Amino acid sequence: MKIISVVGARPNFMKVAPFIHTIHTFNEQQVTSNPERVTHILVHTGQHYDDRMSKAFFEALNIPDADINLGIGSGSHAEQVGQSMIALEKVFETEKPDWVVVYGDVNATLAASVTAKKLHIRVCHVEAGLRSGDLKMPEEINRLVTDRLSDLLLTPDRLSIENLKLEGVSDSRIRFVGNIMIDTLEANREKAEQLSIQHIIKKNLIVLKPFSPINENQHFALMTLHRPSNVDHKDVLEPLVHFLSNEIAGKLNIIWAVHPRTEKQLKTFNLWDKVLSTPGIYLVHPLDYHSMLKLNMHARIMLTDSGGLQEECTVLGTPCLTMRWNTERPITLREHGGASVLVGNNIDRIRKEFNETLNKNRNPERPELWDGKTAERCLQAILGYKL
Ligand code: UD1
């Protein structure tokens, strides 16, 4: 069997890693028992191209170099998807895979699923069925189209199965496999724990400045922000920066891992120098996988608009303020047993929840089948697929 996995952006890399490792193990077993092997081809669209956004993850997670890199890079959504489709069509026509496997909700996911289906190639979507209900999010459009077209829908939780059923998807296309990203978290926990927090900060600080000791005892908040709704508008980003500088940084150190989009916008809105010079705010480059995991394990609180971090916070028990008005991952919310609460970008709400959440204890939760073995179930679902 020949499988092509298509990835494009940072959150894909921790999902494809365990799938590739599982195929490798499967092939080793087949050598002795059964000659059926899986040929796997990894295609990277190149949407994320910085070393820190891409190469660092391939190296840290032992992902082999992409067999094919399409070099698409930055651009509008139509440019990214359109150029990826043109290039993927050639790859799929040449390689003639039995399956194209896509992950999550990035532009590569959409481009690959549409292109494969037009060539009558089977599509498997890992992380199917998530819905925010918010069509202003590009990722929601990517999820809807990908799930509509996919032959095999592998869901991370039971809420996602319900979403798919409400859209009329038949049971025969759905398999509940769990969360593949947690495979990566479990496989890398020990290695991350060995890192030093001081060293991570020193190594990644954007501008060197003295910092008061930040130790293992949860003396810092960890923050990431990249969604257009939070970073593309001055009237949203500016009050947030003022709130962090004036009300939080004096009480608790903030380690802010700055996404390239956010760095660009902070500079455009003349906020960059203010953030850089505020004592107690430490701007760091996008972090490698193990550094982020280590900081997440020891943060007092997480502030983020990332879906993946919401999930990791749930398993690690890190109290999390999710800076969005909705989430496609309700299983991470406190009302479903998770560690996260939605705060949007309203400062009063963030302040209130921040103060209430600060004193919450860590409460790790493990949703059903978030057990580190999801990749095996993904491969078995593909191998066992019957029309
Ligand atoms: C993408 C995904 C989003 C995911 C996020 C995680 C889609 C629709 N969005 O959003 O789901 O949560 O990645 O990071 O696919 N840039 C660089 N270097 C890079 C990559 C990007 O400088 O390696 C810059 C680009 O020039 C662009 C900005 O960052 O201006 C945003 O990148 P883009 O790939 O358009 O989307 P993300 O916001 O990263």
Side-chain angles (χ1 to χ4, degrees):
M1 176 182 287
K2 190 188 264 192
I3 298 176
I4 293 188
S5 285
V6 181
V7 295
R10 183 171 58 178
N12 286 160
F13 307 143
M14 41 288 232
K15 294 170 194 166
V16 81
F19 188 65
I20 292 177
H21 301 325
T22 297
I23 290 178
H24 187 73
T25 308
F26 174 82
N27 282 341
E28 281 182 346
Q29 289 162 355
Q30 297 308 300
V31 173
T32 46
S33 50
N34 177 335
E36 197 202 337
R37 287 171 59 84
V38 174
T39 303
H40 184 260
I41 297 175
L42 181 60
V43 179
H44 187 338
T45 63
Q47 176 180 345
H48 282 177
Y49 48 86
D50 282 356
D51 284 357
R52 289 177 193 273
M53 301 293 283
S54 181
K55 191 168 164 233
F57 285 81
F58 274 65
E59 285 174 2
L61 303 178
N62 284 323
I63 305 173
D65 284 346
D67 298 288
I68 300 166
N69 191 319
L70 307 178
I72 300 301
S74 301
S76 71
H77 285 261
E79 285 165 346
Q80 284 185 348
V81 173
Q83 286 168 19
S84 297
M85 285 181 68
I86 293 167
L88 285 169
E89 187 177 56
K90 296 192 180 79
V91 173
F92 295 166
E93 277 176 336
T94 309
E95 296 294 341
K96 299 191 178 18
D98 301 291
W99 285 91
V100 167
V101 181
V102 295
Y103 305 81
D105 54 21
V106 303
N107 287 333
T109 314
L110 171 71
S113 53
V114 175
T115 308
K117 270 331 271 182
K118 280 177 178 266
L119 293 171
H120 308 169
I121 299 166
R122 282 183 194 152
V123 175
C124 169
H125 184 202
V126 179
E127 201 183 84
L130 299 184
R131 296 289 181 271
S132 68
D134 180 359
L135 279 170
K136 292 213 169 110
M137 284 179 77
E139 293 84 357
E140 183 74 353
I141 298 166
N142 297 347
R143 288 181 205 114
L144 281 167
V145 176
T146 301
D147 283 347
R148 184 72 185 82
L149 296 178
S150 294
D151 298 270
L152 193 48
L153 296 158
L154 306 183
T155 73
D157 54 49
R158 293 190 186 276
L159 299 168
S160 306
I161 300 178
E162 291 313 310
N163 291 336
L164 293 171
K165 286 191 172 168
L166 281 173
E167 291 170 13
V169 177
S170 73
D171 283 343
S172 62
R173 287 168 60 207
I174 306 171
R175 300 281 183 288
F176 173 33
V177 295
N179 189 333
I180 198 164
M181 235 180 52
I182 303 307
D183 290 20
T184 300
L185 186 149
E186 293 303 341
N188 289 280
R189 228 179 164 133
E190 252 172 62
K191 187 168 172 196
E193 192 56 282
Q194 285 157 18
L195 300 178
S196 136
I197 291 177
Q198 295 288 334
H199 182 71
I200 294 170
I201 297 170
K202 258 194 202 152
K203 195 174 95 185
N204 290 287
L205 269 178
I206 290 180
V207 167
L208 278 180
K209 63 176 174 181
F211 55 98
S212 50
I214 294 177
N215 57 27
E216 321 280 301
N217 296 326
Q218 306 191 358
H219 284 158
F220 62 93
L222 184 57
M223 180 163 141
T224 79
L225 213 57
H226 75 278
R227 300 224 170 254
S229 56
N230 282 330
V231 306
D232 284 4
H233 310 283
K234 189 175 184 185
D235 56 349
V236 172
L237 196 52
E238 189 170 45
L240 185 62
V241 163
H242 286 148
F243 167 72
L244 295 170
S245 312
N246 301 338
E247 298 189 42
I248 305 295
K251 289 190 222 157
L252 189 67
N253 288 313
I254 302 170
I255 303 174
W256 183 350
V258 189
H259 187 283
R261 172 190 286 277
T262 311
E263 175 170 346
K264 197 159 74 185
Q265 298 299 55
L266 285 167
K267 286 176 178 164
T268 306
F269 302 145
N270 290 322
L271 296 166
W272 182 248
D273 290 338
K274 176 173 174 64
V275 189
L276 270 184
S277 61
T278 302
I281 298 187
Y282 300 96
L283 291 191
V284 293
H285 293 291
L287 294 168
D288 64 84
Y289 184 80
H290 294 99
S291 297
M292 180 52 98
L293 182 53
K294 170 76 181 188
L295 294 185
N296 194 355
M297 284 166 155
H298 294 279
R300 183 93 204 96
I301 188 169
M302 170 77 77
L303 294 102
T304 189
D305 58 8
S306 148
L309 284 171
Q310 263 172 261
E311 295 180 334
E312 288 164 343
C313 283
T314 290
V315 171
L316 299 173
T318 317
C320 174
L321 301 191
T322 299
M323 300 174 73
R324 294 174 48 186
W325 295 113
N326 52 50
T327 179
E328 64 287 340
R329 294 168 162 87
I331 198 150
T332 64
L333 297 177
R334 284 185 203 153
E335 56 262 41
H336 290 280
S340 143
V341 59
L342 296 176
V343 295
N345 48 33
N346 175 293
I347 300 302
D348 289 337
R349 180 140 180 193
I350 298 172
R351 179 188 297 112
K352 177 175 167 290
E353 288 293 345
F354 183 88
N355 289 330
E356 285 180 22
T357 303
L358 204 54
N359 297 319
K360 281 208 184 305
N361 288 329
R362 281 182 169 265
N363 184 19
E365 266 296 326
R366 196 172 286 279
E368 192 180 353
L369 297 189
W370 292 27
D371 58 0
K373 299 195 171 102
T374 292
E376 288 168 30
R377 288 186 286 268
C378 292
L379 182 59
Q380 288 311 322
I382 293 173
L383 294 173
Y385 179 84
K386 303 232 166 29
L387 269 183

